[in-house]
Structures are given as C-alpha cells and as structure tokens.
Amino acid sequence: MAIPLPDLTPLESTLWLTLAGKALDYEAKHPILRDRTAYDIVRKLDFDARQFKLSASPVVGIAHRSLIMDDIVRRFVVKHPEAVGLDLGAGLDTRVHRVDPPPTVEWYDVDLPGVAEARRLLIPERPHAHIIGSDLNDPRWLDEVPSRPAVIVADGLIGFLSKEELATLLDRLIRHFPTGEICFNGYTRFHVWAARKYAGTQSVAPFLRSPGFDTPQDIERLEPRMTLVREIFLAREPEVARYPWTTRLAGFLTAWSTSLSRKGTAVQHYRF
C-alpha cells in the first residue's frame, strides 16, 4: 500500500527525478551509488521510477556525482570531527545514512516545507540529524544551525537558483560558518539548454533559473571568498568502468578535453 504524503508543490515535486535516478542505478547491473534506501522508498510509494524515461547517461550521472560528494563529506569529517554537515535542497536523499558520520557531527537536511515533511515520513530518524523545512532564500533557517566548520552539499540545487539568489546564499553561508567546504554539480549554459530540451528532464525544466556558469572561475568571481579545490570530471573517474558501454564510450571520447568534459557531469569542490 502506498504511503500517503503531503501535497507537494510543483517545485517540491522536482525531487522525484533525482530519487528515480538513484533507484534506477540501484537496479542496474553494475550500480554506482548502491543506494538501497532510494530503491526502498520508490517501492514503498509504488512510484514508477521509469516514468521519466531516463537514459543511462543521466542515471549514472545522478548516482556518480552523489558518490563523489559523499567522499568529499567523509574526507572533511575526518579532518573536522565536530563539523556541521549541511545538505541543501536535500530532497529525499539519504546522504547522512550513506556517509555515516560520527555522533560529534551535527547534520542538517534543508528543503522546502513539503519536502521536509515527506522526509520525516519516509526516511529513518538518526541521532544528530535534523530536518529544516524552509525556502533557502529565507535567511532565518540558518539560525537553527551552529557556527562550526561546515561541509556543504548542494546536489542538483544550483540550477534552480538565479545568479542573485546563488550569490546571496553563498554570502550567508560564508558569513555564518568560520570555515568550510562546499560542493555541487556544475551547471553550464549548455546544461541549462540541454535540460530544457531533453525529454527526461521536462519535469524540472520550468524551474531552472540559473544562467549557467561555464567554468569554476565564474563561481569564484561571483563569490571571491571561495577557492576551487578541484573540478572533478566524472568521465575521468575510475567508476566509469562500471558505466553501461554506450555511456562509457561517450565518457572516453570526451575525457581528453576539458571543454567537452564540462558538457558532461562535473562536481565543483570549493573551500572558504
């Protein structure tokens, strides 16, 4: 029997695309992320993860970028065992369960109120893990978060923010935390254009507000207190060996070129 959920707004409902990608990755012959919880949520809800008709490329992109961000979080927590972990636009992601930080870390999943309520219904509670239901453009949500070294993930979020909204959010985060790292998947102008054209992303296309940032340095110019640690091209990472062969071939053909690699999925990792 499907679990009754709160009525989600169209914007809140964009969470289903990412959840579907992770569930489909779990079912794959050679999964990348192996997120059993995403798969279980889809089954509990009797949700058709194939309704978006996602091809192999976006499925592995969703899973692989999350895997890389998980690793960034783990490395930060080793160096800062009393850190704050912050997942912005968390949707129904279960990163805190995958990463499994020590109890000295306070973790916060932040998303719109309807999404926050859905998380409470669907995702197991965990000590030191908190849910904040708020629009990220409302500065008051940060009042609930302690000022400690922070590792911040914005998986799939940047495309939904205008340039001005992103600049304001980054400024607030850097002012609030004494030091930290932030990672997100890049959105170039090509990504914004492609998302509006590709059939599988039509559910999110109306809500994309980013103008696109073609290089990591565009973000540094937007917020000069951020310094690039690494631009991680998925096509150059060892997990590509587990991609379906057509996607693996495409990655091989683009990996040699930075400009072509940026048309695929990349994770941008900064410190401040």
Side-chain angles (χ1 to χ4, degrees):
M1 181 181 296
I3 298 173
L5 294 180
D7 291 332
L8 300 178
T9 68
L11 178 58
E12 290 171 333
S13 296
T14 59
L15 67 85
W16 300 120
L17 180 66
T18 305
L19 180 70
K22 292 173 182 174
L24 292 171
D25 168 72
Y26 185 83
E27 293 180 330
K29 184 177 180 180
H30 301 290
I32 304 296
L33 187 63
R34 303 176 187 271
D35 189 341
R36 176 59 188 258
T37 305
Y39 176 73
D40 287 343
I41 290 172
V42 164
R43 293 186 65 192
K44 286 179 184 177
L45 296 176
D46 195 23
F47 180 78
D48 181 11
R50 300 185 184 280
Q51 65 181 271
F52 300 108
K53 296 181 172 58
L54 293 172
S55 63
S57 180
V59 169
V60 297
I62 288 169
H64 195 179
R65 78 191 191 204
S66 290
L67 184 74
I68 288 172
M69 293 180 199
D70 287 355
D71 186 58
I72 290 171
V73 172
R74 290 189 186 98
R75 291 173 184 269
F76 188 88
V77 167
V78 168
K79 296 178 183 177
H80 304 276
E82 296 186 352
V84 163
L86 201 59
D87 198 335
L88 305 180
L92 292 176
D93 188 76
T94 57
R95 192 176 315 278
V96 66
H97 294 274
R98 295 196 304 268
V99 171
D100 191 26
T104 51
V105 172
E106 296 293 331
W107 187 273
Y108 295 82
D109 289 297
V110 188
D111 212 316
L112 295 165
V115 179
E117 182 59 27
R119 288 188 65 87
R120 293 186 181 98
L121 292 170
L122 293 169
I123 297 176
E125 292 185 2
R126 178 188 171 95
H128 305 283
H130 317 275
I131 302 171
I132 299 177
S134 175
D135 187 325
L136 287 170
N137 293 316
D138 183 344
R140 294 172 293 181
W141 68 265
L142 262 173
D143 295 340
E144 301 183 36
V145 183
S147 179
R148 303 183 193 172
V151 58
I152 304 166
V153 176
D155 189 355
L157 173 70
I158 302 303
F160 294 91
L161 301 176
S162 69
K163 182 178 180 179
E164 294 73 23
E165 289 169 339
L166 178 58
T168 299
L169 176 61
L170 293 175
D171 174 68
R172 287 174 180 153
L173 293 169
I174 292 171
R175 288 178 182 273
H176 185 81
F177 298 110
T179 187
E181 296 180 9
I182 182 168
C183 58
F184 46 80
N185 53 305
Y187 273 93
T188 65
R189 287 179 293 176
F190 172 79
H191 289 126
V192 175
W193 174 85
R196 289 173 175 155
K197 298 294 183 181
Y198 173 54
T201 51
Q202 290 308 293
S203 62
V204 304
F207 306 101
L208 296 177
R209 304 188 63 200
S210 174
F213 300 93
D214 288 341
T215 72
Q217 289 70 40
D218 291 338
I219 299 292
E220 290 179 316
R221 284 187 284 270
L222 184 69
E223 178 42 79
R225 290 167 292 180
M226 289 174 51
T227 301
L228 182 70
V229 176
R230 185 183 172 202
E231 183 179 20
I232 305 166
F233 298 116
L234 270 58
R236 300 178 183 178
E237 294 298 295
E239 289 80 12
V240 170
R242 302 210 300 268
Y243 283 16
W245 75 268
T246 52
T247 310
R248 188 166 66 247
L249 176 61
F252 174 78
L253 294 174
T254 60
W256 62 273
S257 166
T258 295
S259 61
L260 288 177
S261 292
R262 284 184 179 141
K263 293 187 187 308
T265 304
V267 172
Q268 294 173 0
H269 177 197
Y270 300 86
R271 67 168 61 98
F272 58 85

